[in-house]
Amino acid sequence: MRNGYITKRQQNGCRNQVVKAEHNGQYSLQQSYSRKMNMYSLDYDVPEAPCSPPFSVNGPSLTDVCNGNSATLFLSMINMLAAYSSIINGMCDRITPIKRPQFIYDFIVVGGGAAGSVVAARLSEIKNWNVLLVEAGPDELPGMQIPSNLQLYLNTKLDWNYKTTNESYACLRYNGSCSWPRGKNLGGCTSHHGMAYHRGHAKDYDRWMEMGNAGWSWKDVLPYFFKSEDNKEIGRIRAEDHATGGPMTVERFPWQPQFAWDILTAAKETGLGVSEDLVGQNITGFTVAQTISRNGVRLSTARAYLWPNRNRKNLHVALNAIVTKVNTMKNSSKVKTVGITFIMNGQQYNVIAKKEVILTAGAINSPQLLLLSGIGPKRHLDSVGIRTVVDLPGVGENLHNHASYGVDFSLSETHIDELNINNADTYLYNQTGPLASTGLAQVTGILASNYTTADDPDIQFFFAGYQAICNTDGRIEDLKMYDNKQTVRFIAVNIQTLSRGRLILASKNPLSPPIIWSNDLAHPQDRSIIYQGIQYILKLSQAETMKKYNLKMIDTIIPECEQYKKNGEMNYAYWDCKFRYDTRPENHQAGTCKMGPSSDPMAVVNPALKVYGIDGLRVADASIMPQMISGNPVASINMIGERVTDFIKNDYKVMNN
Ligand SMILES: Cc1cc2nc3c(=O)[nH]c(=O)nc-3n(C[C@H](O)[C@H](O)[C@H](O)COP(=O)(O)OP(=O)(O)OC[C@H]3O[C@@H](n4cnc5c(N)ncnc54)[C@H](O)[C@@H]3O)c2cc1C
């Protein structure tokens, strides 16, 4: 039976059933929980289905990523039921990885994240093109599909675990080293991210055009956002701003805590404004975000683009396969891409790309791979003993990210754990309730500081709290509880970063992480924008609607910053110090393989995303953005994936067949 597995006890007609199997892979924990015994039974049958086994993917389970305590059995039950649910875990829809590659492909795509999944899926639409997608990590795990588990698998082996170094203006509490998590699995960061759907706005892309990138204006890119989108909320939001029928489902989570709606009321009361749709008519204000999810289940880009095409004979996916080099050949004055080298299951493969290699390994790994392949600044390559193939000074430069600061408030209400038996039961049964959401992380807002105008806003707001997540014992940054009270976090993000850092190789060992220097917050305007965001946050927290919660700001003491307080007053100098000590790097890194015209000596790719000075090699991910867009970037990176495949199809004069 494909869906809905029956337990042994059900088959035996036993009254005290353990796992109540529902239709279509939906389950209920309710009757499996013996209140008297205060424990769960783990009695179940393995399904007889022509699908991959639910635990075929090796990786941490919920019990591994949560703090081991009395809830262990409860967590392992959720993990198991999620794994066996075809709706949540989709074991009948997943791709089957190859055991070994062919010797030659038409196209090789490196990295299966927000861009790579799109590129591999779209290229393999052409039946006579053979496509290999190579991903360093494994497939996504069952527990990752539950929205409330946002970030839960970071800082495990499914994370590249990058750390920046030598920061003078950021993360000073951690000796100038910021944590930069990056997904190392099929889906890349889209299997870990907050799922908020945003596109930036018209001015972002028009700025790219002004930098010399013809064909990237808002008018040019909008059709590609539409191509990937399947919006489920047309009616509540305007049809002309959205599209249906694409692979990326965009919806709202089915559950919001009351506090989420109260933030919107507070925004109205304080004149900060509310928007029904931040990518529609009103690009500023506060809103409950639309999310990239499908019926209450996370929708990574791999799930959206690759899973439906799992049966294509011309699409091969290699997992746990780390690319170590792009191989090139010099013929008179021309350099040409030959293929790649990668390591899978301890074995090294050299695979040829007949047409092109497309790097979609993200803002850290794409430039790292170029450098390892001898494409980058000659002086740096000489210093690590790599022969220069193309002297391209911009590789690894122009690194930037969004940075933010979060203010915590404790509420008068007692903390209630949203991860409880009833909510888990609701989720497993019909993918609704708190587990089908990210709590307050689904609320966002966008406003303009006094450096800009409302049509080009530069501050975004995120929130945290009311998330049905287990205790990770500090492995990821948890919201702390104070006096057993509910706690919430209001975060102000600068979304128009002026500071720039760089990334270089630590050595020529492809498995060593690069040296990353973000230089976050070095530009005073970047800190000043966050400060203006904090003033909006304080205003919001004092709104009439918020009074019932009796919000109390938790002002964590940073000894180095106390000197700036004047008569206890939290002035600009004090906040400025706090931003530098307790910096919150967002996860929107970009710019390290900058797109630009040939006249720009720091450009790495041209507007068709071809790497300068070499044939048959493109980069298409967050690294090509000359300036990160002013919002959450996944939809924009999907758009880049859609665009590059159209560039390629045009170059080869092919139509989909
Ligand atoms: C915790 C978190 C929350 C976020 N929240 C949001 C949000 O709510 N909304 C939003 O829009 N964005 C969000 N983001 C940002 C967004 O997820 C990233 O910007 C986006 O996924 C980057 O896309 P990419 O294709 O450039 O890289 P990735 O998605 O990271 O994909 C790169 C892939 O390449 C693989 N790879 C790297 N090197 C190699 C190699 N040598 N060989 C083989 N494979 C390799 C990686 O393993 C990875 O799978 C969030 C990110 C994080 C981490």
Side-chain angles (χ1 to χ4, degrees):
M1 177 179 182
R2 188 186 144 138
N3 294 320
Y5 310 115
I6 307 297
T7 65
K8 269 187 190 140
R9 291 189 191 186
Q10 277 179 312
Q11 284 168 340
N12 297 339
C14 179
R15 271 175 54 219
N16 186 16
Q17 73 191 55
V18 175
V19 177
K20 181 181 158 202
E22 300 288 349
H23 293 299
N24 302 320
Q26 299 181 348
Y27 297 88
S28 174
L29 268 176
Q30 203 80 314
Q31 295 183 35
S32 67
Y33 182 64
S34 162
R35 287 174 213 287
K36 210 168 164 194
M37 303 291 287
N38 199 27
M39 62 180 286
Y40 305 93
S41 166
L42 296 176
D43 191 5
Y44 63 96
D45 260 6
V46 176
E48 300 164 14
C51 308
S52 59
F55 294 106
S56 59
V57 190
N58 282 324
S61 75
L62 278 179
T63 42
D64 299 319
V65 290
C66 297
N67 178 22
N69 55 26
S70 55
T72 302
L73 220 45
F74 169 56
L75 293 166
S76 87
M77 198 70 175
I78 298 176
N79 199 63
M80 187 184 71
L81 293 178
Y84 274 97
S85 161
S86 54
I87 290 176
I88 300 169
N89 193 27
M91 60 275 196
C92 300
D93 305 315
R94 288 174 175 249
I95 59 104
T96 309
I98 53 166
K99 294 210 165 57
R100 71 186 68 83
Q102 292 172 186
F103 181 57
I104 188 162
Y105 289 86
D106 290 296
F107 293 93
I108 300 175
V109 182
V110 178
S117 305
V118 179
V119 177
R122 291 298 189 195
L123 286 177
S124 59
E125 284 171 347
I126 308 300
K127 288 199 182 95
N128 54 1
W129 280 354
N130 287 319
V131 179
L132 172 66
L133 171 65
V134 188
E135 166 52 48
D139 204 349
E140 302 166 73
L141 299 170
M144 296 167 103
Q145 312 299 329
I146 302 174
S148 63
N149 286 343
L150 155 70
Q151 301 204 21
L152 192 56
Y153 291 82
L154 293 177
N155 220 338
T156 69
K157 68 176 193 177
L158 301 184
D159 180 356
W160 289 87
N161 281 302
Y162 287 127
K163 301 262 184 287
T164 74
T165 181
N166 216 16
E167 306 295 348
S168 302
Y169 299 90
C171 305
L172 299 184
R173 188 195 273 274
Y174 303 101
N175 299 320
S177 174
C178 308
S179 286
W180 276 13
R182 302 270 85 196
K184 190 180 187 180
N185 47 265
L186 194 60
C189 291
T190 69
S191 313
H192 303 265
H193 77 156
M195 291 160 273
Y197 181 84
H198 199 258
R199 299 176 188 154
H201 49 73
K203 291 264 172 170
D204 287 321
Y205 301 93
D206 294 343
R207 236 188 314 270
W208 291 7
M209 274 281 282
E210 283 157 23
M211 294 177 192
N213 294 301
W216 288 87
S217 71
W218 179 239
K219 187 169 63 59
D220 295 314
V221 299
L222 195 56
Y224 292 88
F225 281 106
F226 288 164
K227 189 173 180 187
S228 71
E229 183 180 4
D230 185 22
N231 203 297
K232 297 295 182 198
E233 287 207 304
I234 308 290
R236 186 185 70 76
I237 53 174
R238 300 187 329 156
E240 54 265 56
D241 300 321
H242 292 276
T244 55
M248 297 300 290
T249 308
V250 180
E251 59 180 17
R252 254 182 179 172
F253 288 136
W255 182 85
Q256 291 81 34
Q258 180 53 41
F259 199 95
W261 300 112
D262 288 336
I263 291 173
L264 302 198
T265 310
K268 248 187 235 159
E269 286 169 1
T270 50
L272 298 177
V274 170
S275 169
E276 276 302 319
D277 179 12
L278 280 173
V279 300
Q281 258 175 324
N282 299 318
I283 64 168
T284 60
F286 286 75
T287 196
V288 169
Q290 289 207 302
T291 52
I292 307 165
S293 52
R294 189 177 288 160
N295 298 320
V297 178
R298 174 185 288 278
L299 184 68
S300 73
T301 310
R303 188 167 183 156
Y305 276 84
L306 296 175
W307 292 20
N309 301 310
R310 67 193 295 262
N311 293 324
R312 280 187 189 157
K313 297 266 181 297
N314 63 334
L315 173 60
H316 284 182
V317 181
L319 295 182
N320 298 303
I322 184 156
V323 178
T324 54
K325 197 176 173 201
V326 177
N327 299 315
T328 55
M329 196 174 70
K330 201 163 185 176
N331 207 342
S332 61
S333 62
K334 280 208 143 210
V335 184
K336 191 182 163 3
T337 308
V338 175
I340 58 163
T341 300
F342 69 93
I343 302 167
M344 183 169 74
N345 298 327
Q347 191 165 339
Q348 181 169 302
Y349 297 92
N350 291 311
V351 180
I352 289 176
K354 233 170 26 181
K355 293 189 168 66
E356 295 194 23
V357 170
I358 301 103
L359 296 186
T360 52
I364 309 301
N365 294 51
S366 284
Q368 183 196 21
L369 268 173
L370 287 180
L371 295 171
L372 288 166
S373 313
I375 303 164
K378 183 169 183 323
R379 254 180 59 186
H380 169 54
L381 295 175
D382 285 348
S383 73
V384 285
I386 293 178
R387 187 179 61 84
T388 301
V389 174
V390 183
D391 183 6
L392 215 46
V395 177
E397 297 289 328
N398 189 42
L399 172 64
H400 59 287
N401 190 10
H402 291 154
S404 67
Y405 184 81
V407 182
D408 290 0
F409 296 94
S410 73
L411 276 52
S412 49
E413 66 186 46
T414 307
H415 174 80
I416 295 169
D417 197 347
E418 299 290 356
L419 185 62
N420 56 44
I421 178 82
N422 285 330
N423 291 342
D425 185 53
T426 303
Y427 187 76
L428 292 163
Y429 183 61
N430 61 11
Q431 295 79 54
T432 57
L435 276 76
S437 95
T438 52
L440 285 188
Q442 66 191 299
V443 183
T444 189
I446 293 200
L447 292 175
S449 76
N450 61 14
Y451 291 106
T452 184
T453 45
D455 61 346
D456 195 9
D458 55 0
I459 310 172
Q460 186 165 12
F461 300 89
F462 296 141
F463 297 85
Y466 294 95
Q467 187 181 339
I469 193 170
C470 63
N471 177 6
T472 65
D473 232 1
R475 187 176 44 77
I476 53 170
E477 200 205 354
D478 293 325
L479 203 52
K480 290 187 189 61
M481 214 195 309
Y482 296 86
D483 300 330
N484 203 29
K485 299 289 184 214
Q486 200 71 257
T487 314
V488 293
R489 178 172 294 161
F490 291 19
I491 301 153
V493 194
N494 165 30
I495 45 176
Q496 290 195 13
T497 311
L498 294 176
S499 310
R500 291 293 185 272
R502 84 166 54 88
L503 163 171
I504 55 173
L505 295 178
S507 77
K508 63 181 185 183
N509 177 356
L511 304 182
S512 295
I515 297 171
I516 306 169
W517 171 63
S518 80
N519 199 23
D520 264 352
L521 300 184
H523 198 295
Q525 184 171 315
D526 288 345
R527 305 198 299 273
S528 168
I529 290 172
I530 298 178
Y531 177 74
Q532 293 186 42
I534 297 291
Q535 302 315 302
Y536 287 131
I537 280 176
L538 297 179
K539 192 170 178 182
L540 199 65
S541 72
Q542 285 149 17
E544 191 56 37
T545 299
M546 288 292 154
K547 294 220 163 98
K548 63 176 180 257
Y549 293 108
N550 194 17
L551 293 182
K552 286 213 167 59
M553 192 203 293
I554 298 156
D555 182 24
T556 39
I557 302 289
I558 301 171
E560 292 84 350
C561 299
E562 285 301 298
Q563 55 179 310
Y564 296 108
K565 270 188 187 162
K566 292 267 153 57
N567 304 323
E569 186 212 336
M570 299 166 82
N571 53 22
Y572 181 82
Y574 176 69
W575 282 109
D576 186 63
C577 177
K578 290 190 86 159
F579 304 158
R580 286 180 279 127
Y581 272 83
D582 266 348
T583 321
R584 275 181 47 99
E586 293 302 326
N587 303 290
H588 302 165
Q589 293 85 352
T592 43
C593 300
K594 179 182 157 191
M595 171 173 70
S598 56
S599 56
D600 177 353
M602 299 309 277
V604 175
V605 296
N606 72 11
L609 307 189
K610 292 178 177 172
V611 177
Y612 280 111
I614 181 163
D615 285 344
L617 182 62
R618 301 194 206 222
V619 183
D621 53 31
S623 68
I624 66 102
M625 294 181 171
Q627 164 89 32
M628 175 41 85
I629 55 120
S630 314
N632 310 79
V634 161
S636 184
I637 298 164
N638 293 160
M639 175 277 288
I640 292 169
E642 292 281 9
R643 291 221 77 195
V644 80
T645 32
D646 257 22
F647 293 150
I648 295 171
K649 286 176 180 176
N650 280 336
D651 281 359
Y652 289 89
K653 299 190 172 41
V654 295
M655 303 289 285
N656 286 350
N657 55 12

